[in-house]
Amino acid sequence: MRIDAVFRGVPRYVLTATDQRPSADDRYWRAVTLAPLMARATLDAHDLLDGRLEAHLSAWGAVDLSLTEPNTFAAGDLAVAWARGTHGPWALWVGRRFVPWGPPGGLHVDGVGGEARADGFSAEVMVGRPVTPAFGAMAGAQTSFEGVTAAAGARVAWASPGRVVASASYVERWARGVAGVRALSLDALVTPHPRVDVRGSIVLDATGLGVTQANADLDWMPASWGSLGAGYAHVDPARLIPRWSILSVFVTDVFDEARLWAVWRPFPSVTVRAEGAGQRYAAPGSLDEARWGHRVEASVRVASRDRGRAGTLSASRRDDGVRPLTLLRVAGLWTVGRDVGLALEAAAALDDDAPESARSL
């Protein structure tokens, strides 16, 4: 079990449409500086009741000491809170849990599930209500699933450690009486050589009979100094939008990406990573020509042997054919004594527009 107390200073700007502001600048953009004092608790208990029970909890609570937003000065939520009991090859779990399989990004549910395992094979089922836990936000509206909503799914898998891991799953998520997601997912990890990993996954839209998302990656680790890799991704965002949402009637670009990356560790405490990718954006049913884009990223991470001090510097250049962006980020962590740490982070996003050019919201 671990309990942390975290204090953060978060300066930010909030867009508002109110006309009760004294000037034009304040009318649209206003500074909101938050000072949340947060407590985080994590519990992982295994081998209870002679190995037949395990329990997991991750929760947080916070108070905004600046009292900038009177209606949101306190917040908190449960990220996970579930327990699992086993009897021989059978298992049953109940509570709030993150289910990593199913639709892209997984699924958070308040529900119940069962599992069975034997000789490398496993099967599981789950049913529950989808939820969207908050993770530390203090100001602004929080997304949530409101009204009647439900999710159910099943998964089968086979694992031969060090050689092959494969699974197939099916998940349905309902809201407002309509099945928003019907996802059939296939995943596999193959290790043909101790230094080579091949990963692949595909998520099919069982309602529209199309590919929602597909990924294929090859990792090669020639030596202890690092690794090389290549990958491909295909994403159709329109298939992730529920049928009852008005957004589903708008044309959405289909996204394809081919990428290469390299990781270099000149010293145990230093990691350098570089990645480049080419992208293609196309809107099905549109007469517009496909757009081409690219992404180039580099990062350096340095950490002390005891992990008490660490720093990260990253830069990314992205162009989707509409608006190029340059992203910069620098972060550092220092441990003071045994129980106190100080972290600083700064980030910037720079577009190619001239500062004096006209802008629209």
Side-chain angles (χ1 to χ4, degrees), residues 31-302:
V32 177
T33 300
L34 305 180
L37 178 62
M38 178 184 299
R40 301 183 303 196
T42 302
L43 169 67
D44 289 294
H46 298 270
D47 297 327
L48 304 176
L49 298 180
D50 296 328
R52 295 193 300 271
L53 180 67
E54 63 179 281
H56 306 271
L57 172 70
S58 178
W60 68 275
V63 176
D64 182 14
L65 301 182
S66 68
L67 298 179
T68 304
E69 296 288 334
N71 296 329
T72 56
F73 70 92
D77 205 354
L78 292 172
V80 295
W82 60 282
R84 178 175 179 267
T86 60
H87 181 72
W90 308 96
L92 178 69
W93 64 265
V94 61
R96 174 169 295 184
R97 184 179 182 182
F98 177 73
V99 179
W101 45 269
L107 197 64
H108 251 104
V109 295
D110 287 345
V112 61
E115 306 170 21
R117 301 179 183 274
D119 298 328
F121 287 92
S122 63
E124 52 186 308
V125 296
M126 71 87 186
V127 61
R129 183 179 190 274
V131 294
T132 307
F135 294 94
M138 294 292 296
Q142 299 298 317
T143 58
S144 63
F145 292 96
E146 298 178 353
V148 178
T149 178
R155 176 178 180 265
V156 293
W158 176 67
S160 177
R163 297 177 59 191
V164 178
V165 178
S167 69
S169 65
Y170 178 79
V171 171
E172 285 198 9
R173 189 176 72 195
W174 288 72
R176 305 185 184 183
V178 178
V181 172
R182 283 177 172 161
L184 174 61
S185 305
L186 305 173
D187 300 89
L189 169 63
V190 181
T191 306
H193 185 273
R195 294 185 178 272
V196 178
D197 283 340
V198 180
R199 299 184 304 274
S201 66
I202 185 170
V203 180
L204 303 174
D205 178 7
T207 301
L209 299 179
V211 177
T212 300
Q213 179 172 301
N215 285 280
D217 293 290
L218 171 67
D219 268 310
W220 176 42
M221 294 151 280
S224 60
W225 55 260
S227 63
L228 301 172
Y232 167 79
H234 170 88
V235 181
D236 187 349
R239 297 184 183 275
L240 299 173
I241 302 174
R243 303 294 185 268
W244 49 262
S245 173
I246 191 174
L247 298 177
S248 63
V249 303
F250 295 97
V251 175
T252 305
D253 288 342
V254 175
F255 169 86
D256 289 273
E257 176 182 272
R259 52 186 179 257
L260 297 171
W261 65 85
V263 178
W264 178 41
R265 300 183 185 89
F267 306 100
S269 59
V270 178
T271 302
V272 181
R273 190 180 193 278
E275 182 172 349
Q279 301 155 341
R280 183 180 184 273
Y281 302 83
S286 173
L287 298 179
D288 297 336
E289 294 185 359
R291 305 191 319 273
W292 293 91
H294 64 270
R295 174 172 56 86
V296 179
E297 300 179 349
S299 65
V300 179
R301 185 178 188 276
V302 181

